[in-house]
Amino acid sequence: MATKLALPSVVTSICMGFDRMRNDMRKKIVTILAVLSLMVIAKAQAMTELKDHQLSLVTGQALIEMGKQFQPGGTSSEGISYNGMTFYKAGLNAKLDLNLNIDKLQLGCTSGVMNGQHCDIDIDHLSLSGMDNSASRAGSSATLTKPYFEFAVKNDQSRTLREITGIRMSAEQAAGLLSMGTENSTTPNGLNTFSGYMNVQSDEASGQIHGLAHTSSAYFNAATYPVEGKMVVFNASGLWAEFKTTNGGFNIPAMSGLPFTADAISVNGKRITSLPINTTISVPTIYLDNSYPSSGQVSGTGASQTVQTQGGPIDAKVTDCSFFACLVAPEGRTFTNVFMSGSIENMKADVTINQGLGYIHSLPVDSPFYLSFQKEPVNWPDSANADVARQGWWMSFKNEVNLGSVNPVAPIDVATLFPQIAAQVGSYLSNHPANTNDIGGVIGGDGLDVDIGNVQVPNPLNLTLTDLQLSGQNFHPNCFGSAKFC
């Protein structure tokens, strides 16, 4: 019995021991929690409020930046009116590197046409990479600094009338090579339609468009382009005869490296398909003499070039004459194998180049850039006054885009200038008659030598060129290997 009674006493003692241990543990946990609470309260009580001025002295860098600004309405330098709006901006305080190819980019396409085009922006085979225009281009990346989205809000203060009128994707700076199309050839490809704002120049140093032109050889046919003027004998004003060329001519050799400059081009509008380039080219002086080669030759280089060519043979018919001149050169008489000596000087050609966008392939970009969509004209913040984005899609480059030297690949056909040259040379010779001392040629009517003097061409010649392939628009595909696009 004693043994049986002792077992419960032992168990009871053990249980009472465990209870005391649990109570001690609870006390310790409560004590720890109380200390931690006091520490937190002490920290909270130690925090102090910072004023705006104090906060402004604290510097740091945030990944996401946001902003808001109001911009009043106005009218652009091109007469485009726009409303005042509030702009909300959200962007990354970072640099974004990218390399991309887009097979077909069409934005703002409608069933209706404007300037014969259905889309605001239409580009085939668009590539964006680093500035490396070499075989390793595909391994380079364009850089967008601080890319952001921005919303244009009209009537922002009115809860009932406020509306989002536009959104743009932009970067404070975009640096890279933008190429369009698959090749630089005589067939247009790549950029079909452009809506936006862009100033185009050859380089930053000149701030202009400049290039070098070359011409093909041509034959000045005196029958196709007749010269009508006046000639005197022995410089005697009373011995004159008026004439018209009827046959023969002379050769103009090919010329190269003729320099020209033009003002930078401002592209600003909707659904544009071509760039207008207006420039003036100085045409080299043409020296005529029987001693020069019949095929002609060129001396000098660049703007100092001159042409020497044999001034004939040409046939000319008398159309009128003075009393004494008619005795030996009556009206209707034809002189054969006439050779001219002298020069044709002071020729300038006003050239208009209607350059289709499909011949523009390579655009090195280093500029703030944006692509936007809006329901009405918007002058986005930090844009030029002339850069008012029109309704629809709009692409804008704030800084000038450098095309490089505008050098046509194919030679220019100078024969298109011959009718104008013939008219102005004839007009000059009517007021400043040519002279001959070749009495034998006058009497015999064959092999007459005539001195035309230094003929001045006072008025600019007009030349219109269209869709020139430019040597400076070659580019490497943004692909590894031999593919033209990938």
Side-chain angles (χ1 to χ4, degrees):
M1 293 291 294
T3 303
K4 292 180 180 179
L5 290 174
L7 183 58
S9 299
V10 173
V11 172
T12 301
S13 298
I14 293 174
C15 290
M16 291 176 65
F18 277 120
D19 287 341
R20 284 194 297 269
M21 290 175 64
R22 279 197 294 266
N23 289 333
D24 292 341
M25 185 65 68
R26 288 194 191 99
K27 290 179 181 179
K28 291 179 180 179
I29 292 174
V30 170
T31 301
I32 292 171
L33 291 175
V35 171
L36 290 174
S37 298
L38 289 173
M39 291 174 64
V40 171
I41 293 173
K43 287 289 185 181
Q45 289 177 343
M47 295 177 65
T48 58
E49 180 182 359
L50 293 177
K51 303 297 183 182
D52 287 343
H53 172 69
Q54 294 172 303
L55 286 172
S56 68
L57 300 177
V58 178
T59 60
Q61 188 172 10
L63 175 62
I64 299 177
E65 295 181 333
M66 306 185 73
K68 171 187 175 182
Q69 72 176 95
F70 175 79
Q71 189 160 289
T75 302
S76 73
S77 57
E78 296 197 348
I80 306 297
S81 298
Y82 53 92
N83 293 312
M85 297 187 187
T86 302
F87 296 92
Y88 290 85
K89 176 180 176 181
L92 297 177
N93 185 15
K95 290 184 177 181
L96 176 64
D97 291 340
L98 72 162
N99 181 296
L100 60 85
N101 291 328
I102 301 175
D103 184 64
K104 183 73 172 178
L105 178 64
Q106 285 186 318
L107 300 171
C109 297
T110 60
S111 58
V113 297
M114 178 187 297
N115 194 25
Q117 302 299 314
H118 287 276
C119 297
D120 293 339
I121 295 173
D122 186 355
I123 306 174
D124 295 320
H125 305 116
L126 172 70
S127 296
L128 180 63
S129 69
M131 291 291 191
D132 183 8
N133 191 8
S134 69
S136 59
R137 178 187 175 190
S140 65
S141 296
T143 300
L144 302 182
T145 302
K146 293 188 175 182
Y148 62 88
F149 285 91
E150 192 163 26
F151 298 87
V153 179
K154 188 167 67 172
N155 304 317
D156 189 43
Q157 303 303 317
S158 173
R159 292 184 178 181
T160 57
L161 297 178
R162 69 184 307 191
E163 61 176 327
I164 296 176
T165 58
I167 180 174
R168 73 167 173 171
M169 297 158 283
S170 183
E172 293 188 8
Q173 193 74 14
L177 177 61
L178 184 68
S179 66
M180 297 155 288
T182 56
E183 61 181 359
N184 179 24
S185 67
T186 57
T187 301
N189 64 98
L191 181 54
N192 304 310
T193 310
F194 178 81
S195 295
Y197 176 82
M198 177 171 55
N199 290 314
V200 180
Q201 62 186 16
S202 287
D203 53 60
E204 294 181 5
S206 68
Q208 294 180 311
I209 297 288
H210 60 74
L212 298 172
H214 57 285
T215 67
S216 57
S217 59
Y219 180 71
F220 186 98
N221 191 312
T224 305
Y225 316 108
V227 176
E228 300 182 53
K230 183 183 288 188
M231 181 184 70
V232 297
V233 181
F234 297 123
N235 286 316
S237 60
L239 294 175
W240 58 267
E242 294 182 353
F243 65 88
K244 177 180 179 179
T245 60
T246 59
N247 197 18
F250 53 87
N251 288 296
I252 300 295
M255 294 170 278
S256 62
L258 297 174
F260 64 88
T261 59
D263 292 335
I265 305 167
S266 180
V267 182
N268 190 353
K270 289 275 288 183
R271 300 188 182 182
I272 297 170
T273 58
S274 63
L275 295 178
I277 303 176
N278 297 299
T279 185
T280 298
I281 298 179
S282 294
V283 181
T285 296
I286 301 174
Y287 291 99
L288 304 171
D289 194 89
N290 197 23
S291 63
Y292 294 136
S294 60
S295 59
Q297 63 186 17
V298 176
S299 297
T301 58
S304 63
Q305 291 181 72
T306 59
V307 172
Q308 298 94 35
T309 189
Q310 194 174 90
I314 289 175
D315 295 349
K317 182 178 181 179
V318 177
T319 58
D320 196 8
C321 52
S322 65
F323 176 78
F324 292 105
C326 285
L327 296 177
V328 291
E331 183 178 347
R333 184 182 183 186
T334 297
F335 288 84
T336 58
N337 296 316
V338 177
F339 284 89
M340 300 177 294
S341 61
S343 63
I344 304 174
E345 305 176 356
N346 194 40
M347 289 185 290
K348 296 184 182 297
D350 286 343
V351 182
T352 299
I353 304 174
N354 296 317
Q355 185 68 7
L357 295 183
Y359 297 88
I360 305 297
H361 302 288
S362 178
L363 296 177
V365 176
D366 189 4
S367 168
F369 163 85
Y370 73 81
L371 179 65
S372 67
F373 176 76
Q374 48 279 316
K375 63 177 294 187
E376 64 178 71
V378 175
N379 182 231
W380 292 94
D382 300 319
S383 298
N385 174 264
D387 181 14
V388 176
R390 317 294 202 275
Q391 182 184 33
W393 285 90
W394 189 264
M395 184 181 292
S396 173
F397 302 86
K398 184 175 182 179
N399 296 345
E400 289 76 7
V401 176
N402 297 326
L403 281 180
S405 185
V406 180
N407 301 334
V409 173
I412 297 172
D413 182 11
V414 294
T416 56
L417 298 175
F418 288 169
Q420 301 172 66
I421 293 175
Q424 293 203 49
V425 169
S427 176
Y428 182 88
L429 291 178
S430 295
N431 297 299
H432 307 83
N435 177 68
T436 182
N437 296 327
D438 185 4
I439 191 63
V442 172
I443 295 174
D446 184 68
L448 180 66
D449 291 328
V450 177
D451 181 8
I452 64 172
N454 300 321
V455 176
Q456 302 297 308
V457 178
N459 300 316
L461 309 171
N462 296 310
L463 178 63
T464 299
L465 304 173
T466 304
D467 297 340
L468 303 178
Q469 180 189 358
L470 305 176
S471 61
Q473 286 299 294
N474 294 324
F475 66 97
H476 284 273
N478 190 29
C479 303
F480 293 106
S482 60
K484 289 187 176 181
F485 191 81
C486 53

